[in-house]
Amino acid sequence: MAAKVGILALQGDVSEHAQALADLGADAVGVHTADDLAAIDGLILPGGESTTISKLLESSGLFEAVASRLADGMPAFGTCAGMILLASEVLDGRPDQRSFGVIDLSVRRNAFGRQVDSFEAEVDVEGVGSVPAVFIRAPYVERAGEGVDVLARVDGHPVLCRQGPVLAAAFHPELSGDLRLHELFLREVT
Amino acid sequence: MERQTGTDRVKRGLAEMLRGGVIMDVVTPEQAKIAEDAGAVAVMALERVPADIRRDGGVARMSDPAMVEGIKEAVTVPVMAKARIGHFAEAQILEALGVDYVDESEVLTPADEAHHIDKWAFTVPFVCGATNLGEALRRISEGAAMIRSKGEAGTGNIVEAVRHLRSILGDIRKITQADPAEVYAWAKELRAPVSLVQELHDTGRLPVPLFCAGGIATPADASLVMQLGAEAVFVGSGIFKSEDPAVRAKAIVEATAHFRDPHIVAKVSRGLGQPMKGQDIAELDVKLAERGW
């Protein structure tokens, strides 16, 4: 049976991730409630507004349910807001903002600046090559823990990291049409 | 490493990140904090909400930069601000202030009765209002990176928002069924570039996100327009002209995220206090949606 990938569908660019998964022939499902988690083998946390998604995770009762699946080793891939939600520490966040802490990173929100500073660039990814990357009010990693592999950097700051089954990008591979990072994640799921 | 700022992808990308969210009009840093606490994905900084602009009359202009800066300081979510239609100098000021999105808005008094702002000339992205598909495509051809259906701002009445969304999305559905010759006729009828109509025909969707504004006052209103096909909502007067803004703001955020689930929308709709009073469209002296060319 083919692996099923969930996309956290509370807010953000869910449809771009769904398109990337469809292009790779993967079976994708939107996750709105805790019940949707039962059927999935991996979870994508999309781009969006991390403070909003954090609140919606809380009010929908999804936070604890997702946290428990992640603790059991479910593979996860977070992009931008998704990276923030997976990280162990959020800098410049709201005091009530929660994150899952399944990748040992200190991530600073909006570290690359406001929207006028948002940019596209080619980024060298270890083991993959040069990939087009879209950074939107993007965070970067200020501290990566010992168990974390840093796969790409911009200005010396880690922007793509992996720890065990968890992959986190400060940028949006789902907006560039390049499927290699989604492919990298799917290898973890299947 | 070569970095490119202000590209189409970067401008439209921020709009894509706001999908499924609520953008709230705020007039003070305190209101901005209430909006962010409630889960707003972004705030729109302006001096008066549309209901007050309507009541006060006079010329409505871009906000005082000090006020925009105060709101930027108060929150971590994106901050948008409004410039008058065609007033590119106001837009330049807003870009210089570092706002994240400029709304070239019919809610303010137009500065140019023939031309909209050349939005390609800016690094900051623009959102523009539209009442129909032709207007939406003309704004996209001028560089808008997000379209919002206009509705009738400051009325608390959803009827115009529904009319505009149905018009835009209905015509998109018809164009996807058109034969190649009909694409040219559609471009003429819509007064829009053939290339954009052709793209619609091929993809079945606008090349930028379509949000909804103008008249949303309740969680059910948000659910209605999201089910009709809006990808996110702007709420102007509907929150801070209601009895309990913090509670209503949170309820509208929940209803927008869970618009397909009437049980959740029912749950969050309970005990919100009085909504803004609202107005019948037939009683209006000025229809803001008619501004824009």
Side-chain angles (χ1 to χ4, degrees), chain A residues 11 59 94 114 120 155, chain B residues 3 7 17 37 100 254:
Chain A
Q11 192 275 315
S59 60
R94 284 174 51 90
R114 302 190 72 94
E120 289 185 59
D155 296 344
Chain B
R3 290 189 193 185
T7 62
M17 296 314 138
D37 286 344
D100 296 297
E254 293 287 338

Side-chain angles (χ1 to χ4, degrees), chain B residues 189-200:
Chain B
E189 189 183 322
L190 295 172
R191 295 191 292 126
V194 175
S195 58
L196 283 176
V197 178
Q198 186 66 52
E199 189 182 340
L200 260 185

